[in-house]
Amino acid sequence: MPVLKSLQAASAMVAAIAWLLKDGIGMIARILFAWLYSPYLDADCKYWRLIADCFNDLAFCLDLIAPIFPHLFMLIICLSSMVRAVVGVAGSATRTTIVNHQAISDNVGDVAAKDGSQETLINVFALLCSLLLLPVVSGNVVSIWLLFCLFTFIHLYGNYRAVKSLQFRTLNQSMLRIIVNNYMETRKTGTVSEVNDEEPILLHCYGCCLSDVLTSSKKLLFMCSKFTVIHDLRINYGYIYQ
């Protein structure tokens, strides 16, 4: 009996240490990610929203892999906790940006409540599907992985189409590059819908220096209804006129 109690105490201690280590690493990862990347979450909202979805599926994949490698179990669950930390920061931050964008009548609370209800409805539907599929895939590793890959593809494709449908009216570096290129080629900036459709989601390309592009001209002039921007390449100086 004393030996059994000692083993139980040791098992409880190991479980507690594992839980503290996993959650502690996740908390540190949240702080570090927010410190390093929080300035980019608003400007590149579509990119980070899709990254959060990809990392969320990656965390589930790591959870499925962990039992296969018992000698690496602790390392894998700690890595999963780090990935979920990125999901938590990027997902919540970009969700706030998207809700503010959709609240065109300054009804942020209304939009947030309906968004939460929609997410809850999807979770209920997923729960029902899980109850139906559980007897089928129980003990069948191949079926589990096939369904995981199928649902992951559907999830990522659906989220990709969702972020592509967003029509932001604020500029980031990618959209500014598109507008400048359109103006240089056609003397038109393009509509909000056209610029958003051209914006790359995962592969960002910020272009190159103006001095490398405008080899045949010494001055770039950009005009709109409210202001004029002139960049003089000879002295590397810019002017803004209202």
Side-chain angles (χ1 to χ4, degrees):
M1 291 298 293
V3 175
L4 181 59
K5 290 182 178 180
S6 299
L7 290 175
Q8 290 176 346
S11 299
M13 180 63 69
V14 170
I17 292 174
W19 177 78
L20 290 173
L21 184 62
K22 177 179 73 70
D23 283 12
I25 289 177
M27 293 174 186
I28 294 173
R30 286 177 67 95
I31 295 172
L32 290 177
F33 179 79
W35 175 49
L36 293 172
Y37 293 101
S38 59
Y40 309 107
L41 297 179
D42 282 319
D44 297 321
C45 176
K46 299 179 185 179
Y47 170 78
W48 285 109
R49 183 70 214 182
L50 195 58
I51 287 295
D53 293 322
C54 293
F55 275 34
N56 188 45
D57 291 334
L58 176 60
F60 284 121
C61 182
L62 291 173
D63 291 340
L64 290 175
I65 290 176
I68 302 176
F69 303 98
H71 57 290
L72 298 175
F73 183 81
M74 180 58 65
L75 177 63
I76 294 175
I77 63 171
C78 288
L79 182 59
S80 174
S81 180
M82 292 175 60
V83 173
R84 280 197 169 87
V86 175
V87 175
V89 177
S92 61
T94 53
R95 181 177 181 177
T96 302
T97 302
I98 293 172
V99 168
N100 287 329
H101 165 70
Q102 293 174 332
I104 57 177
S105 300
D106 293 330
N107 55 338
V108 177
D110 181 33
V111 174
K114 291 177 179 177
D115 179 67
S117 298
Q118 184 183 46
E119 184 176 355
T120 302
L121 179 62
I122 295 299
N123 289 334
V124 170
F125 180 73
L127 179 62
L128 294 176
C129 290
S130 299
L131 292 175
L132 294 175
L133 291 173
L134 188 60
V136 179
V137 302
S138 180
N140 192 334
V141 178
V142 176
S143 298
I144 292 174
W145 279 102
L146 285 176
L147 288 175
F148 173 75
C149 293
L150 174 63
F151 290 142
T152 298
F153 173 78
I154 295 173
H155 174 244
L156 293 180
Y157 178 75
N159 279 282
Y160 174 79
R161 299 300 302 174
V163 297
K164 283 292 289 184
S165 67
L166 293 172
Q167 302 291 316
F168 287 119
R169 294 179 177 272
T170 54
L171 291 179
N172 56 20
Q173 293 187 32
S174 297
M175 295 174 69
L176 179 61
R177 178 187 61 85
I178 293 170
I179 289 176
V180 172
N181 285 343
N182 289 342
Y183 183 80
M184 295 297 296
E185 294 174 0
T186 64
R187 295 301 174 184
K188 295 180 180 179
T189 59
T191 64
V192 173
S193 178
E194 291 171 347
V195 174
N196 276 273
D197 290 341
E198 292 182 37
E199 181 190 6
I201 302 299
L202 288 177
L203 300 177
H204 283 199
C205 180
Y206 297 137
C208 54
C209 297
L210 287 174
S211 57
D212 297 333
V213 177
L214 305 177
T215 55
S216 60
S217 175
K218 294 298 182 181
K219 185 177 292 186
L220 169 66
L221 175 64
F222 178 82
M223 294 182 294
C224 71
S225 59
K226 293 185 178 180
F227 58 87
T228 302
V229 177
I230 298 177
H231 181 229
D232 195 335
L233 298 177
R234 292 169 297 183
I235 58 176
N236 195 26
Y237 207 79
Y239 310 88
I240 299 179
Y241 300 98
Q242 287 186 335

